Amino acid sequence: MSAIENFSTTQLQNVIPSYLYQEYADDDDLQAFVDAQNALAQGYQNWFLQTPLGLYTAPSINGPLLDWVGQGVYGISRPVLSTQTSRRVAGYNEYTYNTFPYDGLKSSVTGTAQIASDDIYKRVLTWHLYKGDGYQFSVLWLKKRIARFLNGVNGTDYPVLDVLPSITVSGSVFTVNEAYSQSLVFLQQCISNNVLALPFQYSIVINAVTLSSDGGVLVVNPFAGYPSNSTSLPPGNIYSNGGAVCVVPGITPNPSAPPVYFGSITADELYSLGGGNLPLTNPGVGTGQLWNNGGVVCIA
């Protein structure tokens, strides 16, 4: 899907030129007109050869032309990704007494809405149009679709078997555990706005993982917003050293502080808590407790 169509046959690359009847062939003005017409026709032909309309992943398919192809050829409109929620207050028991007119009506809208970019629009098209996974829903089908959406820039194909996300199932709820990224945010918005085709019997929950383990070292995803160095940070604060979670030295841990365990604390919670009270020695292999290993947060 990611390759651009190549018309290498000469007959397909060139239009059949128009020509003058022999009795007019010596008329320079008419010949110039025919030559101009052939040049224009060849220009249109070249554009169509370089812009294969059915291949929406082509770089030349963008903007309004992408909308025309997505809607006109495939019947899929450019989605609007919205976080808006609407609230309508009306009725006797819907608001605090004496704060609103007795027969009043109040509507409010919160959140944001934005039209999907070309990149996200193409990923949505690929979600619906990719045929290689078949039509039978399964956990593997869902993993492939999600991996292709997250990594297939501009809707292109991707070797998804190398990057399948973790999915757990509880009843009819499928929980997707994946490292936080902007693509994951867009996926979450697409699912919540019913943009992507999914079985209505199931619910899909996106769990953005920002903390992970790299050989026992606690690693934070760049999108978590941690400081990239310890400059100007007070002792005990948390920062990211190339992804590894580190603690600014200079503070003595409180031995009575409650333990902190990997998997039970989020990146935001750890950043707010700080690392000053993490133990300075390994509290026990296999416990999953976080500890300060010479300034680097490790997982026991």
Side-chain angles (χ1 to χ4, degrees), residues 5-193:
E5 293 182 24
N6 178 25
F7 295 91
S8 57
T9 306
T10 302
Q11 286 82 355
L12 292 177
Q13 290 181 338
N14 297 285
V15 298
I16 299 176
S18 61
Y19 60 92
L20 284 171
Y21 287 115
Q22 185 61 38
E23 59 265 35
Y24 305 118
D26 58 350
D27 189 311
D28 294 338
D29 294 333
L30 291 178
Q31 191 61 58
F33 174 83
V34 170
D35 291 342
Q37 181 190 36
N38 288 333
L40 286 172
Q42 187 61 50
Y44 285 121
Q45 175 74 352
N46 292 340
W47 184 88
F48 277 104
L49 293 177
Q50 297 166 10
T51 313
L53 296 180
L55 190 60
Y56 58 85
T57 56
S60 55
I61 306 295
N62 53 68
L65 179 59
L66 176 61
D67 288 275
W68 187 86
V69 171
Q71 176 66 42
V73 177
Y74 298 109
I76 301 173
S77 301
R78 185 186 294 264
V80 176
L81 306 181
S82 172
T83 61
Q84 289 184 347
T85 56
S86 300
R87 184 170 182 261
R88 184 179 182 185
V89 178
Y92 186 76
N93 295 322
E94 291 296 318
Y95 44 83
T96 305
Y97 197 69
N98 281 339
T99 61
F100 203 67
Y102 184 76
D103 59 348
L105 170 64
K106 181 179 181 180
S107 299
S108 61
V109 179
T110 59
T112 61
Q114 60 179 341
I115 298 176
S117 65
D118 285 356
D119 177 25
I120 300 304
Y121 187 15
K122 291 184 178 184
R123 297 186 197 213
V124 170
L125 287 169
T126 296
W127 179 287
H128 290 90
L129 301 173
Y130 195 89
K131 308 299 182 186
D133 301 332
Y135 297 95
Q136 189 68 35
F137 178 80
S138 65
V139 173
L140 182 59
W141 182 96
L142 182 60
K143 285 186 175 185
K144 289 181 177 180
R145 277 289 195 279
I146 291 175
R148 193 174 292 111
F149 183 97
L150 295 178
N151 300 283
V153 178
N154 289 314
T156 53
D157 200 358
Y158 193 85
V160 295
L161 293 179
D162 298 334
V163 291
L164 290 178
S166 171
I167 296 180
T168 57
V169 184
S170 178
S172 61
V173 179
F174 289 70
T175 301
V176 181
N177 302 289
E178 181 65 18
Y180 182 89
S181 65
Q182 192 59 55
S183 297
L184 190 67
V185 173
F186 287 130
L187 174 65
Q188 191 172 27
Q189 292 177 348
C190 287
I191 291 176
S192 63
N193 284 275

Side-chain angles (χ1 to χ4, degrees), residues 270-282:
L270 180 60
Y271 184 71
S272 298
L273 179 65
N277 286 327
L278 297 179
L280 301 179
T281 58
N282 193 329

